[in-house]
């Protein structure tokens, strides 16, 4: 709670299985060189809330299969990727919730790379990139999610994605990234071998609040 922490070059925070890591009004950033980021192991839980900040990482938060990541009123900035859920077999039980939060590039550029860091462009690759999950983004009230100054806002592979109360601006192409998609606010893509009924994008209209009836 209420802390500011600095990560060494190439450092990584690992949330072990059946463990919980909570950042509450807390910032984690690098000193002078980028770091790897936070890895949430299978069955681990990560809460980023109340004006917390993750900054200067290759991947802000990596969520392994079966983990839980809840982000509310927080920021992941100046990272190559904000939240990343790696490919998995079938639809996973990974849970990711993002409300009233920000992703993007706040500075003029990234800090210097750590030794062995994967090549990247001069802007973030994706704010959120997920594989094989069912996910809803955006709260039912309050501030919108913000995605800005990046190559793509959200990229979802073989996933069911529902988005509300989210804004995208200053999304532009960085030619260093070699993936198929560049310069998009939202991408929802399925592979030929995946059940197409499980690859779906729903964008809800902008209203002041949402009610479930």
């Amino acid at each position: 709670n209420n802390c500011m922490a600095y990560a060494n070059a190439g450092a990584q925070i690992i949330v072990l299985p059946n463990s919980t890591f909570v950042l509450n009004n807390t910032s984690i950033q690098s000193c002078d060189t980028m770091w790897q980021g936070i890895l949430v192991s299978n069955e681990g839980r990560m809460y980023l809330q109340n004006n917390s900040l993750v900054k200067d990482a290759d991947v802000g938060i990596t969520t392994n299969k079966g983990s839980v990541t809840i982000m509310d009123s927080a920021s992941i900035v100046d990272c190559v990727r904000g939240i990343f859920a790696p490919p998995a077999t079938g639809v996973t039980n990974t849970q990711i919730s993002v409300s009233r939060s920000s992703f993007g590039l706040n500075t003029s550029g990234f800090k210097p790379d750590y030794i062995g860091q994967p090549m990247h462009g001069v802007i973030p690759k994706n704010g959120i990139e997920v594989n094989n999950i069912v996910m809803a983004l955006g709260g039912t009230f309050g501030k919108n999610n913000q995605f800005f100054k990046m190559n793509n806002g959200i990229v979802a592979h073989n996933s069911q994605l529902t988005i509300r109360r989210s804004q995208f601006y200053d999304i532009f192409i960085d030619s260093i990234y070699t993936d198929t998609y560049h310069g998009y606010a939202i991408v929802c893509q399925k592979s030929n071998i995946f059940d197409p009924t499980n690859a779906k994008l729903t964008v809800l209209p902008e209203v002041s609040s949402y009610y479930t009836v």
Side-chain angles (χ1 to χ4, degrees):
N1 291 324
N2 307 312
C3 294
M4 181 174 290
Y6 291 89
N8 284 335
Q12 184 179 48
I13 296 172
I14 299 176
V15 182
L16 297 174
N18 301 311
S19 298
T20 300
F21 185 38
V22 179
L23 296 182
N24 183 60
N25 192 34
T26 292
S27 299
I28 304 178
Q29 63 188 61
S30 71
C31 294
D32 53 13
T33 304
M34 296 187 77
W35 60 299
Q36 291 187 58
I38 302 169
L39 171 65
V40 187
S41 303
N42 298 1
E43 311 305 328
R45 296 170 296 276
M46 171 80 202
Y47 296 88
L48 186 67
Q49 60 195 30
N50 189 23
N51 300 312
S52 289
L53 170 71
V54 173
K55 188 175 183 290
D56 306 323
D58 186 56
V59 182
I61 302 174
T62 300
T63 60
N64 276 348
K65 186 174 182 179
S67 64
V68 175
T69 297
I70 308 297
M71 183 175 175
D72 191 349
S73 304
S75 300
I76 299 178
V77 296
D78 304 339
C79 298
V80 179
R81 282 188 285 198
I83 295 177
F84 177 54
T89 302
V91 176
T92 72
N93 60 340
T94 304
Q95 298 179 46
I96 300 174
S97 173
V98 178
S99 304
R100 295 168 284 274
S101 295
S102 299
F103 300 80
L105 186 67
N106 266 350
T107 59
S108 59
F110 297 120
K111 289 183 178 177
D113 290 358
Y114 59 83
I115 296 174
Q117 183 172 349
M119 185 178 69
H120 59 83
V122 298
I123 59 173
K125 180 180 182 181
N126 304 311
I128 298 175
E129 182 178 355
V130 296
N131 291 265
N132 308 85
I133 72 170
V134 177
M135 179 176 66
L137 294 179
T140 57
F141 63 91
K143 178 185 173 182
N144 292 346
N145 289 327
Q146 305 280 329
F147 296 81
F148 58 92
K149 292 184 181 178
M150 58 181 60
N151 180 64
N152 291 307
I154 300 170
V155 177
H157 307 281
N158 301 326
S159 298
Q160 294 184 33
L161 184 61
T162 300
I163 299 176
R164 61 189 174 197
R165 301 192 66 80
S166 297
Q167 293 179 295
F168 304 82
Y169 54 95
D170 292 340
I171 307 295
F172 54 93
I173 295 172
D174 187 322
S175 60
I176 292 296
Y177 301 120
T178 58
D179 295 344
T180 303
Y181 303 101
H182 301 278
Y184 289 91
I186 306 169
V187 175
C188 189
Q189 176 263 344
K190 70 178 181 68
S191 68
N192 292 329
I193 62 173
F194 195 78
D195 181 357
T197 61
N198 286 332
K200 181 180 180 181
L201 172 64
T202 302
V203 179
L204 299 180
E206 178 64 24
V207 296
S208 58
S209 60
Y210 294 85
Y211 300 93
T212 300
V213 296

